[in-house]
Amino acid sequence: MKASSTPILTAFKTSPDRGRGLARDMRVRWALEEVQKTYDVRLLTFDELKKSANRELQPFGQIPSYQEGDLVLFETGAIVLHIAETNAGLLPIESHARARAIAGMFAALNTIEQPIVERSSFVLLEKEKSWFNERLPILDERAHVRLRDLAHRLGDNEWLEGSFSAADILMVTVLRRLDGSGLLEHHPKLMAYIARGEARPAYQRAFAAQLAVYKASLDE
């Protein structure tokens, strides 16, 4: 049987983010919506994530994976980059600007996301530990250092690299992981940047699609 050319994205059947748009398939959904590319979604339970059928697509037993014809990808950065490179509109045409936008994608997933995920995991898993109140300010400051650097880099620009690009998809979705932490309120330029991303019609379509999955899971 010939592999379908319509991309197939895997996602949580019951997302632990409770419909807040934080699960990582959101990044891929948003990219696909920006380039107006039709896609299908295969929903997986937590048990199905770890089974061999999913591990053949995503060796670490996570979401998302991405199938398009004979191509299978995992890791959201790689998937969004593939979408941006094979569809117009998510990367600048000029070579230097394009390279800078790709650098921004790497920065989102490496430099910015790392301290955010470290802090989020600490709050989730170690809140009852005796050292929690001592260590949390250290992790907060690590995040603030990166956020201040990012705000300085963004300056008064609307987007990271001239026009909207794949770098903004990744950066906005990474920053949204701080929602409710109280950290973003110290960085008004970044809050305005996130709001611009969330206002994009493609973002809103992607968010609505992910939220619909979560609401459907509540009815089962």
Side-chain angles (χ1 to χ4, degrees):
M1 181 182 297
K2 185 177 179 180
S4 173
S5 60
T6 299
I8 302 172
L9 178 68
T10 57
F12 290 121
K13 186 174 183 180
T14 305
S15 179
D17 76 345
R18 302 180 64 83
R20 295 167 61 204
L22 302 180
R24 285 180 170 86
D25 62 290
M26 177 66 188
R27 304 168 181 182
V28 181
R29 290 176 185 268
W30 187 2
L32 290 166
E33 292 288 352
E34 287 285 353
V35 300
Q36 301 183 47
K37 191 174 184 68
T38 301
Y39 62 98
D40 294 325
V41 179
R42 181 185 300 125
L43 300 177
L44 300 174
T45 65
F46 288 103
D47 286 340
E48 290 169 336
L49 285 175
K50 306 304 179 183
K51 291 184 178 179
S52 58
N54 185 54
R55 286 187 181 274
E56 290 178 3
L57 305 175
Q58 218 296 354
F60 304 107
Q62 300 172 319
I63 61 99
S65 64
Y66 178 92
Q67 293 175 269
E68 185 177 7
D70 296 327
L71 175 67
V72 177
L73 292 173
F74 59 96
E75 295 295 335
T76 55
I79 297 169
V80 172
L81 179 58
H82 167 72
I83 294 168
E85 288 187 322
T86 54
N87 298 272
L90 287 181
L91 285 175
I93 295 174
E94 196 276 321
S95 61
H96 288 185
R98 188 182 187 93
R100 288 192 297 269
I102 293 172
M105 297 176 68
F106 278 81
L109 300 181
N110 294 328
T111 304
I112 304 299
E113 188 168 39
Q114 191 277 328
I116 292 174
V117 170
E118 182 182 13
R119 182 193 183 278
S120 299
S121 297
F122 176 75
V123 171
L124 179 65
L125 301 175
E126 302 186 52
K127 195 168 187 178
E128 304 304 321
K129 302 297 184 181
S130 61
W131 56 79
F132 181 82
N133 289 331
E134 181 180 355
R135 180 164 171 73
L136 182 59
I138 297 173
L139 298 179
D140 283 352
E141 181 55 25
R142 287 180 184 173
H144 277 308
V145 167
R146 295 307 187 194
L147 295 176
R148 285 193 292 267
D149 289 343
L150 177 61
H152 179 74
R153 173 68 177 85
L154 182 64
D156 294 325
N157 298 317
E158 188 174 20
W159 306 112
L160 289 174
E161 186 53 49
S163 59
F164 179 85
S165 74
D168 299 299
I169 290 176
L170 295 182
M171 193 66 78
V172 168
T173 51
V174 165
L175 291 173
R176 288 192 73 251
R177 298 180 69 86
L178 286 172
D179 183 41
S181 70
L183 299 186
L184 286 170
E185 286 74 3
H186 297 276
H187 306 277
K189 285 187 178 182
L190 298 184
M191 290 189 68
Y193 171 61
I194 294 168
R196 287 193 293 273
E198 292 174 334
R200 293 181 69 84
Y203 173 91
Q204 294 177 15
R205 291 193 299 271
F207 185 93
Q210 195 183 64
L211 180 60
V213 171
Y214 175 70
K215 287 183 175 179
S217 73
L218 298 179
D219 296 331
E220 294 183 358

